[in-house]
Amino acid sequence: MKKVNILFLTVLGMSGLGLGINNAISKSDNVLPEQKNDAIMNAQTIHPSTEQKKSEHDRSYNFDASSALPSSSTFQQQPDNGKILGFDFYRDALNAKKPMQTFEETMKSDIAQRPEISKTQHKLLLSRYDLTPRFDPEVTMTRGKPLAVGPTAILKNKMSWQKLADMSPEEIRNNNLFPYPALPHPKQVTGGQVFPPMQISMFPRLERFDVEFDLPEAFLPEFPPAIFLQNRPELGDVSRGEVVSINNFYRLFKDILTPVQLTGLQMLLTPLPQEEFNPTDDRKSAQPSLGVTCFDCHVNGHTTGQFHLSPDMRPQERRVRLDTTSLRGVYSQQIHGSKRSLRSIEDFTEFEFRTAYFNGDPIHAMKKGFPMIDRIHVSHMAQFQNMLDFPPSPKLDNNGRLNHSKATEKEIRGESIFFGKGQCANCHQPPAFLDNQMHDLKLERFLNEPGDGPMKTFTLRGIKDSPPYLHDGRLLTLEDTVEFFNLVLQLKLTDEEKSDLVAYMKQL
């Protein structure tokens, strides 16, 4: 394993931060080479052609707000001498500790706090999960990454899964025994998009100086993910093992996509200002940033486990962690967004870069660079997204049911449980394995937490490629997911039935 040390930033020479404890937890030896020519990074990097010489006037404090001469001497008789001594939103960073706080002061404080924040989150994860990865000896993700198996949750008081399932929700809550409480953002007060180490290694512009990714790579989707297009199914995975970016999209897709789809893909790869990645003092990137692209989060139209906070809840401490969901198969979905229930992929696309990029706050959007993309380009973006398909499922027939001549007895038993005792098909109906509805699991029955309210049903097609599970990633494996729903729905599944159900879902 390779461990990368943390390099602290200086005001004059801001180099990238290291990857922190996540590398020590789990780091794959099969790391993609760093992309040497990131067009977005180049576009926001200054390369002065001549030496810049500053005059005495250039170096003076005349430009500092405190040096500004009042427009009238009579202000001395007015409150606070006519000055704003409190916070002024347009120029003071969000959550600054004092008015006129500089970006350098904020960054220095954040860097100092980061090791302890990482340590606290890692300690929390170790108290909840066994983070030593165990892998399926036969099933892998689409491009061959080993599939971690579980359950990983640690049960309290020497409890067994079977004994826990026999308890009532009230007993579980009163004894604080539910093994899957909400997974928090490592830094709730700031929140925001956090990218995994393998992606930052290729695109250092996505590194934040205040917080780092928390889950081990073994429990994340493969990087880069495969890409399947429903307009060219005969090609299979069209990613060719590359992360699609503004650098390579034309070379990869000029002979595969229509001009409209190609334009849409280009827009999805174009950076737009975002809450933590922007040119203002509110940013959490060391250098002013052009922002992030849609496909920085939805890598190759899929996901690699990036997370942020739900934009549609307040106050800040009530907001929930959200994993980036896959865009595979969006053509079969009628609602979009975990809670927003947007009714078209065009609406979802537009609302993402206009509001969700800024935590649902249009005032922040105006301050950091309100993106104005016309509806024509939005429709082009949607046209490409609607080409993204699920990975092949060779054991399913045209109706989304198992072809028993290709399936094992274990998988066939698992399908029976899925459509019967397991109640999975109540929400996850084939062929797309969703119902285009929202459902409330009422987790407050089991936890001393408020619960999440109604959440969109997400597709189970290609589910083995999309760990971790549930909206906040609290379920690290499919086995954890089955245990979770066995408790929440009070199914009383046997160990064999759970194992059969997991075997079936791996074929979806």
Side-chain angles (χ1 to χ4, degrees):
M1 292 186 182
K2 180 180 178 184
K3 185 174 180 180
V4 182
N5 293 323
I6 294 179
L7 302 176
F8 287 97
L9 308 179
T10 62
V11 174
L12 297 178
M14 299 179 182
S15 59
L17 282 171
L19 303 182
I21 64 168
N22 190 73
N23 286 281
I25 300 173
S26 173
K27 181 72 175 177
S28 171
D29 292 330
N30 300 318
V31 179
L32 289 170
E34 181 177 334
Q35 184 155 328
K36 301 297 183 183
N37 184 31
D38 179 8
I40 297 173
M41 177 69 88
N42 291 340
Q44 64 188 37
T45 302
I46 298 174
H47 301 284
S49 57
T50 59
E51 182 180 357
Q52 293 180 330
K53 297 181 179 179
K54 290 183 175 290
S55 67
E56 184 176 342
H57 174 69
D58 296 333
R59 293 190 296 268
S60 72
Y61 287 97
N62 295 342
F63 306 99
D64 198 84
S66 61
S67 301
L69 296 176
S71 59
S72 171
S73 58
T74 63
F75 292 159
Q76 295 178 7
Q77 281 74 52
Q78 293 187 11
D80 296 329
N81 294 328
K83 299 180 180 180
I84 293 180
L85 300 181
F87 291 98
D88 197 345
F89 176 80
Y90 90 94
R91 60 113 27 237
D92 287 313
L94 178 66
N95 202 38
K97 304 306 179 187
K98 62 180 181 180
M100 309 295 285
Q101 181 170 310
T102 66
F103 171 76
E104 288 75 20
E105 289 175 311
T106 300
M107 185 172 67
K108 182 179 179 180
S109 174
D110 283 346
I111 290 172
Q113 293 174 14
R114 176 171 154 151
E116 188 61 31
I117 289 171
S118 298
K119 180 180 178 181
T120 299
Q121 184 74 354
H122 184 47
K123 183 178 180 180
L124 174 69
L125 292 175
L126 289 177
S127 71
R128 293 186 179 184
Y129 305 104
D130 177 1
L131 295 179
T132 304
R134 295 173 287 120
F135 299 109
D136 191 306
E138 299 176 356
V139 181
T140 66
M141 298 184 199
T142 297
R143 293 188 58 85
K145 180 177 179 178
L147 185 65
V149 300
T152 62
I154 298 173
L155 300 182
K156 299 178 181 178
N157 301 337
K158 298 181 179 180
M159 186 69 62
S160 70
W161 289 106
Q162 218 53 47
K163 184 177 180 181
L164 189 63
D166 288 334
M167 299 176 67
S168 69
E170 293 75 20
E171 288 178 295
I172 294 175
R173 183 185 67 239
N174 293 338
N175 290 282
N176 194 27
L177 293 175
F178 193 68
Y180 298 110
L183 182 61
H185 195 292
K187 194 175 183 182
Q188 182 74 18
V189 69
T190 305
Q193 197 75 37
V194 184
F195 296 89
M198 66 275 195
Q199 189 175 359
I200 292 174
S201 294
M202 182 171 281
F203 302 102
R205 59 186 170 79
L206 300 176
E207 177 76 35
R208 287 175 57 165
F209 55 71
D210 64 325
V211 68
E212 63 185 355
F213 200 86
D214 53 354
L215 294 178
E217 186 177 335
F219 300 102
L220 302 181
E222 55 194 351
F223 183 83
I227 306 175
F228 300 95
L229 299 178
Q230 52 105 333
N231 58 335
R232 292 296 303 275
E234 81 281 5
L235 292 177
D237 175 15
V238 298
S239 73
R240 308 185 209 182
E242 298 186 37
V243 178
V244 178
S245 70
I246 203 71
N247 294 55
N248 61 10
F249 82 98
Y250 190 75
R251 168 174 57 82
L252 291 174
F253 293 102
K254 63 183 178 182
D255 295 320
I256 298 176
L257 299 178
T258 69
V260 166
Q261 295 160 1
L262 202 62
T263 300
L265 176 56
Q266 182 178 4
M267 294 299 298
L268 292 164
L269 296 168
T270 299
L272 299 169
Q274 190 259 358
E275 188 78 354
E276 290 77 37
F277 297 89
N278 62 77
T280 75
D281 289 351
D282 275 345
R283 71 182 188 271
K284 295 303 179 183
S285 60
Q287 301 288 354
S289 173
L290 289 170
V292 299
T293 77
C294 298
F295 271 28
D296 279 336
C297 301
H298 301 282
V299 176
N300 285 10
H302 189 48
T303 175
T304 47
Q306 306 86 344
F307 63 84
H308 58 114
L309 289 180
S310 171
D312 33 46
M313 299 180 188
R314 291 298 186 275
Q316 184 76 0
E317 60 269 27
R318 183 63 181 84
R319 298 173 67 188
V320 300
R321 173 169 170 158
L322 275 184
D323 270 16
T324 298
T325 189
S326 176
L327 295 180
R328 291 174 174 176
V330 292
Y331 61 82
S332 65
Q333 301 177 29
Q334 297 175 16
I335 61 173
H336 305 273
S338 57
K339 293 192 74 68
R340 286 170 290 167
S341 193
L342 298 167
R343 296 311 169 106
S344 73
I345 191 62
E346 288 84 357
D347 288 340
F348 174 76
T349 301
E350 185 170 0
F351 274 75
E352 283 296 290
F353 64 72
R354 285 206 182 195
T355 59
Y357 264 42
F358 304 96
N359 291 328
D361 190 332
I363 305 301
H364 285 198
M366 184 178 294
K367 178 180 181 180
K368 297 173 183 181
F370 202 102
M372 296 292 289
I373 299 178
D374 61 75
R375 193 70 173 185
I376 295 174
H377 282 90
V378 169
S379 70
H380 290 185
M381 295 163 78
Q383 285 209 36
F384 173 78
Q385 291 173 88
N386 280 324
M387 293 302 107
L388 295 168
D389 205 356
F390 299 116
S393 50
K395 293 188 179 182
L396 297 186
D397 63 21
N398 293 342
N399 297 315
R401 299 301 297 262
L402 270 184
N403 183 333
H404 287 198
S405 67
K406 297 180 179 180
T408 66
E409 288 297 322
K410 188 176 186 65
E411 293 160 0
I412 293 171
R413 293 196 304 269
E415 181 183 47
S416 178
I417 297 165
F418 187 92
F419 287 93
K421 183 178 178 181
Q423 301 181 27
C424 312
N426 289 355
C427 302
H428 300 281
Q429 301 165 6
F433 290 86
L434 48 75
D435 64 354
N436 289 305
Q437 299 292 323
M438 299 181 71
H439 301 276
D440 187 355
L441 296 176
K442 299 188 182 300
L443 297 183
E444 60 271 21
R445 294 175 295 148
F446 299 88
L447 285 160
N448 293 306
E449 294 177 356
D452 304 306
M455 285 280 183
K456 167 191 168 180
T457 300
F458 291 92
T459 177
L460 294 185
R461 278 284 282 110
I463 192 64
K464 66 181 174 61
D465 281 7
S466 303
Y469 305 107
L470 212 64
H471 61 273
D472 58 3
R474 73 181 75 177
L475 310 175
L476 301 189
T477 67
L478 286 173
E479 287 81 5
D480 287 293
T481 306
V482 170
E483 294 291 0
F484 172 86
F485 280 98
N486 188 48
L487 294 174
V488 171
L489 301 181
Q490 298 177 280
L491 302 174
K492 301 292 194 295
L493 297 177
T494 66
D495 289 341
E496 183 181 26
E497 289 171 330
K498 296 174 192 174
S499 179
D500 292 344
L501 186 54
V502 170
Y504 167 71
M505 289 196 292
K506 289 177 181 177
Q507 301 309 315
L508 299 183

